[in-house]
Amino acid sequence: MYNKQPIGFIDSGVGGLTVVKEALKQLPNENILYVGDTARCPYGPRPAEQVIDYTWEMTRYLLARDIKMLVIACNTATAVALEEIKAALSIPVVGVILPGTRAALKTTKNNKIGIIGTVGTINSGSYEAALKQKAPQTTLASLACPKFVPIVESNEYYSSVAKKIVAETLQPLKHKQLDTLILGCTHYPLLRPIIQNVMGHSVTLIDSGAETVGEVSMLLDYFSIANAPQTAEQKICEFYTTGSANMFEKIADSWLNLTELSVTHIDLGGNIHAS
Ligand code: DGL
């Protein structure tokens, strides 16, 4: 049986587009609805309770659009809200932390893994817990990089300021003999060339979001809910942002290379709390 209902993707802003980019490549038949809560981005410094509330608001918006699967394309939200949302919904819900962990364990040869993410993700200890549970012999060096998300959201991810900030921020990881570094925030793959340059080519970067699409693909098959082959005209790929549709479109346009982009501004319940 084929199922043409869309897959829903959520993130605090444009970060989840790095996951969508991979989904467009690996799952070209699937219809996609995306919500980026740009007005309240970044989630990283926010208290867990608030991130959970915001994540629910995006989730409810997409449930009302009849999605068949939810991808929490945000590490910060995955860290605090995945288990609760998964337990409450009857559709499959996928987060980005476990796929990133598995890929890092597959890659590392010296068992020295680094993880960079938002303050929320790093403080949650989620990657640490997942790695230790699967492979206690690994040593993990974690670092919060709170300056990275604002660079990406302001479309400055190729600038010389970005290069300087990334180089300064990553210094503490440079001499840890890491052979693998998890990009534990879905915004970070947009900074990938700069991060790679700073860390050196002996370090393999793991894109947690891109790894997640492999899991989505497997679940579509497992639950027999993949879509039938469809033409480009039939395909639905819609983006919704609580912030400026214009800015979102600029970033999505250069990152996704789609011929046509549908970006719409929406308001989610709690925007009055935005700070
Ligand atoms: N893209 C996000 C993540 O993967 C959230 C960044 C933020 O809003 O701070 O963690």
Side-chain angles (χ1 to χ4, degrees), residues 11-12 41-44 74-76 118 121 149 185-187:
D11 180 50
S12 62
C41 187
Y43 279 8
C74 172
N75 288 263
T76 314
T118 66
T121 300
V149 169
C185 171
T186 53
H187 281 74

Side-chain angles (χ1 to χ4, degrees), residues 220-255:
L220 289 172
D221 295 337
Y222 182 79
F223 290 106
S224 303
I225 51 172
N227 196 16
Q230 59 177 347
T231 61
E233 291 72 41
Q234 289 169 316
K235 186 175 169 94
I236 295 165
C237 192
E238 294 171 5
F239 299 89
Y240 297 90
T241 171
T242 56
S244 149
N246 208 5
M247 181 58 122
F248 189 99
E249 194 170 337
K250 267 197 196 129
I251 300 174
D253 203 29
S254 65
W255 184 245

Side-chain angles (χ1 to χ4, degrees), residues 132-213:
K132 286 287 166 209
Q133 190 253 326
K134 285 184 192 298
Q137 77 280 12
T138 49
T139 322
L140 186 69
S142 37
L143 181 71
C145 305
K147 291 185 178 160
F148 289 8
V149 169
I151 297 175
V152 173
E153 287 288 335
S154 56
N155 202 11
E156 292 288 334
Y157 55 93
Y158 44 77
S159 67
S160 52
V161 176
K163 283 185 193 143
K164 189 167 176 279
I165 289 176
V166 171
E168 279 170 10
T169 309
L170 295 182
Q171 276 317 307
L173 292 182
K174 287 264 311 178
H175 303 291
K176 301 251 181 210
Q177 282 99 38
L178 308 174
D179 71 353
T180 306
L181 178 67
I182 304 173
L183 305 181
C185 171
T186 53
H187 281 74
Y188 296 177
L190 285 101
L191 294 164
R192 186 179 187 125
I194 306 180
I195 295 172
Q196 187 76 71
N197 207 24
V198 171
M199 292 307 294
H201 287 271
S202 58
V203 178
T204 304
L205 303 184
I206 303 292
D207 178 340
S208 59
E211 295 296 334
T212 302
V213 177

Side-chain angles (χ1 to χ4, degrees), residues 8-203:
F9 292 79
I10 55 175
D11 180 50
S12 62
V14 294
L17 294 178
T18 62
V19 189
V20 168
K21 187 179 172 103
E22 194 62 29
L24 291 169
K25 186 171 139 213
Q26 286 188 41
L27 302 166
N29 299 327
E30 296 300 327
N31 293 316
I32 287 172
L33 296 183
Y34 181 99
V35 176
D37 193 7
T38 320
R40 300 183 292 197
C41 187
Y43 279 8
R46 294 183 183 275
E49 280 314 311
Q50 199 173 41
V51 174
I52 295 171
D53 285 350
Y54 293 176
T55 307
W56 267 116
E57 285 174 16
M58 293 189 284
T59 301
R60 282 192 207 100
Y61 181 86
L62 288 174
L63 288 174
R65 300 284 307 270
D66 206 21
I67 52 170
K68 64 182 172 186
M69 190 187 291
L70 176 70
V71 181
I72 305 184
C74 172
N75 288 263
T76 314
T78 298
V80 295
L82 175 68
E83 291 313 318
E84 180 177 321
I85 293 180
K86 207 168 163 177
L89 303 192
S90 56
I91 55 169
V93 182
V94 184
V96 283
I97 291 179
L98 282 177
T101 306
R102 282 190 212 108
L105 288 175
K106 212 158 72 183
T107 305
T108 187
K109 291 196 172 62
N110 70 0
N111 288 323
K112 292 194 168 87
I113 299 174
I115 154 81
I116 53 175
T118 66
V119 170
T121 300
I122 298 302
N123 286 352
S124 76
S126 302
Y127 273 100
E128 210 150 5
L131 278 167
K132 286 287 166 209
Q133 190 253 326
K134 285 184 192 298
Q137 77 280 12
T138 49
T139 322
L140 186 69
S142 37
L143 181 71
C145 305
K147 291 185 178 160
F148 289 8
V149 169
I151 297 175
V152 173
E153 287 288 335
S154 56
N155 202 11
E156 292 288 334
Y157 55 93
Y158 44 77
S159 67
S160 52
V161 176
K163 283 185 193 143
K164 189 167 176 279
I165 289 176
V166 171
E168 279 170 10
T169 309
L170 295 182
Q171 276 317 307
L173 292 182
K174 287 264 311 178
H175 303 291
K176 301 251 181 210
Q177 282 99 38
L178 308 174
D179 71 353
T180 306
L181 178 67
I182 304 173
L183 305 181
C185 171
T186 53
H187 281 74
Y188 296 177
L190 285 101
L191 294 164
R192 186 179 187 125
I194 306 180
I195 295 172
Q196 187 76 71
N197 207 24
V198 171
M199 292 307 294
H201 287 271
S202 58
V203 178

